Amino acid sequence: MFKPFRTAAVLGAGVMGSQIAAHLANIGLTVHLLDLPAKTGNKNDLVEGAFKKARKLSPPIFFTDKVAHRVILGNFEEHFDRLANVDWVIEAVVENLDIKQQLMQRLEAVMRSDAVISTNTSGLPIHAIAEGRSASFRQRFLGTHFFNPPRYLKLLEIIPTPETDPQVVARMRWFGETRLGKGVVIAKDTPNFIANRIGMYATMQGLRAWTEQGYIIEEIDTLTGTLVGRPKSATFRTADLVGLDTLMYVTKNLYPAISHDESREMFRVPEVLHKLVMAGAIGAKAGQGFYKKQKGEILSVNPEMMNYEPAKPMNLGEVEKLGKVSALSDRLQALYKDPGRAGQFFRTTTLDLLGYSARRIPEIADSPADIDRAMCWGFGWDVGPFEIWEMLGFETVLADMKAANISVPDWVETMYREGEGFGSRHSSQSQGLLTESFAPTVDKINLGEIKTDPQKTLWQNAEAALLDLGDGVALYEFRSKGNTLSFKVVEGLAEVLDLLEERGDLKGMVIGNGSAHFSGGANLAEMGMTAQSGNLQALDDLIVEFQSVLQRIRYAPKPVVIALQGRALGGGCELVMACPHVVAAAETYIGLVEVGVGLIPGAGGIMRTVARVAERAASDSPSDIQPFLKAAFETIAMAKVSTSAYEAQQMGYLPCDARILITGENRLEVAKAEVIHLDRAGYAPPPEQTAIMVLGRPARAMLEHIAYVFQQGGFASEYDRYLAGKLAYVMTGGELSAPTLVHEDYLLRLERENFLPLLSQPKTQERIAHMLKTKKPLRN
């Protein structure tokens, strides 16, 4: 076990420096953020201004606003001596070698002999930055290349120099993986390292196809987006987000640095990119780049006329049909075989990219797995280049490369002769990394293997299953579209709770899944159709059953633990709130968002919110409870969603003792361990909530006035105000005239009685229909 870092310093408060400092603070470090002194006035003006700007970024850089207090601002003139007491310094100043070397000289004079020094450069040789420093300094120096935004992008490239102590590299890798929650790849000290070298090549492929091969922007973004397992921003929208000026800067610096690269000409800056940057069309931050939004219409630039035009019709054959193929491997194979322009583009660019990636080994990385991981973690690809090669068929791609006169390195030919494929290389590499990467000691849960073993399925219906995780722990997994709480999912919960109580060999249950998001909430399509049919009794029965099931989860005689990640909205949030034990990924976005579809929470979300409000107050005095009630009301009425699990605790959606993980990848393993721990400790469910303080009509008037102010200020529609009135009515206890202690069943009944009539309201049905069609709320 390595010694964790407790304090750090980031030198340079630009976009990356501020965000790196923020993420270090997110995980509990005390961080000094330093920059140049201002020439006049307050010498901290520059760093304070940069930090203030960074705090306004969206998505937010901090888990909660309070975390920002862990970042201590300073300047190089007055506060450089603080660096004598930090464990790790990250340099993130301007990309100028002389400036960085001078900074290293100053650092060596003040830093402890055991402190680690790293640079976040992406364009300069790592070893050159530490030239002239002592052997001791160079042994503790390396590159730590974060990707923007550092909080959200998983990749961390660690770049040692030949002189970096292997123990320093191992410590950085351990800290990056276990504390920062990063996917770490060890890169070589080559221009742009791994991800940006391959990623820039793929970007330039798209640009060349646009300027030289007759494909329009919209066609290229269609063929380089979700269709092929890449982000929906694809090539040109990603470039607009990154900034065309940044793209040109990186390319201009890369080209002269890779004179040995046989494909160097691909990185020559295209004339159209240069023209756009010179004209100030540098992307989203300027309002125009490759795309421009004008009067609600998305226009794209004409590379010849340099003006913006409406999108032209695409000529990609049956690509829309291919996009509906669910399995990525099947989709890629079908696209590879497509005889039209779509298939031609995919074959040409894929063979070229795979050949380039193969030729970069061992120059930029030692294995195909490192390149694949870098592209998936850094660029959001579902699969990396060599995984694509394997999906398309190792021999097929190799033969097609030779036919296209694409150079293939000797090591690939050797693999072919020995009958190997990239699958075996990935497998062996993964096994080696499992030990080297300091994997958790709990057994890894492989859901894929469990699902394919019939003996591991204890119960299932069309949209859910109960799986055996071993050691007496079961997993209830949603399988509905979007992990919604459909009729069958709710019915299934009731059935598996019976099974949990009956089977003596089961110690407890985890509720979770292997998807990116926990639950999208209630199945709106089912509810909307049922409401329109006029069968309100069926809906009433469903709400009664859902409330009952959530109560059973809370008071189950055996431990039930939620394994939470991504979005948990509406009914999904209510399910989480009902469960007394939660394991959550830090990146959890949870909220009671029913107002957005013309409803209020109806399955216990209001009751549990009111109960937690009363618990957080200093006493049962209405004056102590009222501020918390007001905040909770505004949160639900405005359909606010947490931006992290930590904020979810502040908002009352997660219990204060929820176990929060910096990365949610091992959430199922930790949740299983939690079930076992609770069982061994002699589990007892929480006591029933028989005395919840509600504040009655006076508090309701106060909440209704807040809704009125929101409407008058243009923050809410008239129907929003109507819904807020229903919410205020339930939160304050209905017709109670004064503060009163009530049983939880009382509030559950109020929820149900006020939820169901809303489903018949035309404006609610409009909101539901709009959400189903556009995936966006309607404020009618």
Side-chain angles (χ1 to χ4, degrees), residues 80-85 105-112:
F80 209 79
D81 59 335
R82 292 180 186 169
L83 305 183
N85 299 312
Q105 184 177 12
R106 289 189 66 187
L107 278 174
E108 187 171 20
V110 300
M111 291 193 65
R112 294 197 322 255

Coordinates of all heavy atoms in Angstrom, one line a residue, residues 80-85 105-112:
F80 N 4.7 31.3 -3.0 CA 5.5 30.1 -3.5 C 6.0 29.2 -2.4 O 6.2 28.0 -2.5 CB 6.6 30.6 -4.4 CG 7.0 29.6 -5.5 CD1 6.2 29.5 -6.6 CD2 8.1 28.8 -5.4 CE1 6.5 28.6 -7.6 CE2 8.4 27.9 -6.4 CZ 7.6 27.8 -7.5
D81 N 6.3 29.8 -1.2 CA 6.8 29.1 -0.1 C 5.9 28.0 0.4 O 6.3 27.1 1.1 CB 7.3 30.0 1.0 CG 6.1 30.8 1.6 OD1 5.2 31.1 0.8 OD2 6.2 31.3 2.7
R82 N 4.6 28.2 0.1 CA 3.6 27.1 0.6 C 3.9 25.8 0.0 O 3.6 24.7 0.6 CB 2.2 27.5 0.1 CG 1.6 28.8 0.7 CD 0.2 29.0 0.1 NE -0.4 30.2 0.5 CZ -1.5 30.7 0.0 NH1 -2.1 30.0 -1.0 NH2 -2.1 31.8 0.4
L83 N 4.6 25.8 -1.1 CA 4.9 24.5 -1.8 C 5.9 23.6 -1.0 O 6.0 22.4 -1.3 CB 5.5 24.7 -3.2 CG 4.6 25.6 -4.1 CD1 5.2 25.8 -5.5 CD2 3.2 25.1 -4.2
A84 N 6.5 24.2 0.0 CA 7.4 23.4 0.8 C 6.7 22.3 1.7 O 7.3 21.4 2.2 CB 8.2 24.3 1.8
N85 N 5.3 22.5 1.8 CA 4.6 21.6 2.7 C 3.6 20.7 1.9 O 2.8 20.1 2.5 CB 3.8 22.4 3.7 CG 4.7 23.2 4.6 OD1 5.7 22.7 5.1 ND2 4.4 24.5 4.7
Q105 N 13.0 25.0 -11.8 CA 14.2 25.5 -11.0 C 13.7 26.1 -9.7 O 14.3 25.8 -8.6 CB 15.0 26.5 -11.8 CG 16.3 27.0 -11.1 CD 17.0 27.9 -12.0 OE1 16.6 28.4 -13.0 NE2 18.3 28.2 -11.6
R106 N 12.7 26.9 -9.7 CA 12.1 27.5 -8.5 C 11.6 26.4 -7.5 O 11.7 26.4 -6.3 CB 11.1 28.5 -8.8 CG 11.5 29.8 -9.4 CD 10.4 30.8 -9.4 NE 10.0 31.2 -8.1 CZ 8.9 32.0 -7.9 NH1 8.2 32.5 -8.9 NH2 8.6 32.4 -6.6
L107 N 10.9 25.4 -8.1 CA 10.3 24.3 -7.3 C 11.4 23.5 -6.6 O 11.2 23.2 -5.4 CB 9.5 23.4 -8.3 CG 8.1 23.8 -8.6 CD1 7.5 22.8 -9.7 CD2 7.2 23.8 -7.4
E108 N 12.5 23.2 -7.3 CA 13.5 22.4 -6.7 C 14.1 23.1 -5.4 O 14.5 22.4 -4.5 CB 14.6 22.1 -7.7 CG 15.6 21.2 -7.1 CD 16.6 20.7 -8.2 OE1 16.8 21.4 -9.2 OE2 17.3 19.7 -8.0
A109 N 14.0 24.4 -5.4 CA 14.6 25.1 -4.3 C 13.7 25.1 -3.0 O 14.2 25.3 -1.9 CB 14.9 26.6 -4.7
V110 N 12.4 24.8 -3.2 CA 11.5 24.9 -2.0 C 10.9 23.6 -1.6 O 10.4 23.4 -0.5 CB 10.4 25.9 -2.3 CG1 11.0 27.3 -2.5 CG2 9.5 25.5 -3.4
M111 N 10.8 22.6 -2.5 CA 10.0 21.4 -2.3 C 10.7 20.4 -1.4 O 12.0 20.3 -1.4 CB 9.6 20.8 -3.6 CG 8.6 21.6 -4.3 SD 7.8 20.7 -5.7 CE 6.9 19.4 -4.7
R112 N 9.9 19.6 -0.7 CA 10.4 18.5 0.1 C 11.1 17.5 -0.8 O 10.7 17.3 -1.9 CB 9.3 17.8 0.9 CG 8.7 18.7 2.0 CD 7.9 17.8 3.0 NE 7.2 16.7 2.4 CZ 5.9 16.6 2.2 NH1 5.1 17.6 2.5 NH2 5.4 15.5 1.6

